[in-house]
Amino acid sequence: MRENNTVAEGARISIVDDDESMREAIKTLMGSLGLSVEEFSSAEDFLNSGRSQVFDCLILDVRMPGLGGPELQRRLAADNCPVPIVFITAHYSEEERTRAMEAGAVDFLSKPFSEQELLEAIDASLAIRKKSVDRADEERD
């Protein structure tokens, strides 16, 4: 089904998930599409990298030791880092999904999700990011 995918080659994706096998699977998929991927085993590692503003999409696990996905989402919003977020979780809750989406998440996927579901969510994230960048460019001109 990937032939219908419109994910932009060269897009920068960050994966934050404490599950190494999940990070590796997503990284392999993204790499096969020509996307630049960085992975982090925790939200703290992501924040400490200082790279939160250089990504086009953040794939973020909901539940992790330490700082969880929703907390990282709030922190990024408070720091004015408008990176589109796709949440992934093995512990789906409609209440948690609603909160994440109301706070600006692009999608909220329940593990296991299909390759196509993830690609569609990333595609939507990249479209949002492009509009944001284009708008910022127009404001500077």
Side-chain angles (χ1 to χ4, degrees):
M1 302 256 330
R2 281 195 288 190
E3 55 276 352
N4 294 333
N5 160 47
T6 58
V7 172
E9 188 171 326
R12 301 157 304 175
I13 309 295
S14 179
I15 306 163
V16 181
D17 193 328
D18 60 318
D19 180 344
E20 183 178 2
S21 62
M22 180 60 67
R23 288 193 319 268
E24 285 301 314
I26 295 171
K27 183 177 180 177
T28 299
L29 173 62
M30 299 298 100
S32 74
L33 298 171
L35 304 178
S36 173
V37 178
E38 283 197 44
E39 57 182 295
F40 303 90
S41 61
S42 71
E44 292 85 356
D45 286 349
F46 176 76
L47 288 171
N48 292 334
S49 75
R51 300 183 45 80
S52 60
Q53 296 204 25
V54 299
F55 292 99
D56 298 311
C57 175
L58 176 59
I59 300 170
L60 181 57
D61 191 13
V62 172
R63 292 190 188 171
M64 296 178 283
L67 194 65
E71 292 84 7
L72 177 57
Q73 180 187 35
R74 283 190 288 279
R75 186 166 300 176
L76 291 173
D79 291 343
N80 198 26
C81 295
V83 177
I85 297 173
V86 174
F87 278 104
I88 57 177
T89 185
H91 307 281
Y92 185 86
S93 150
E94 190 59 38
E95 181 180 312
E96 216 162 24
R97 179 191 185 283
T98 299
R99 278 196 305 269
M101 298 300 286
E102 286 175 351
V106 176
D107 211 334
F108 196 95
L109 304 176
S110 181
K111 297 176 186 177
F113 44 82
S114 72
E115 181 179 285
Q116 192 61 35
E117 286 175 303
L118 180 60
L119 293 175
E120 288 171 3
I122 292 169
D123 194 43
S125 295
L126 296 177
I128 289 167
R129 181 69 169 183
K130 182 176 180 348
K131 286 179 188 174
S132 174
V133 168
D134 290 348
R135 205 171 23 251
D137 287 346
E138 287 173 9
E139 289 173 5
R140 278 195 298 268
D141 291 342

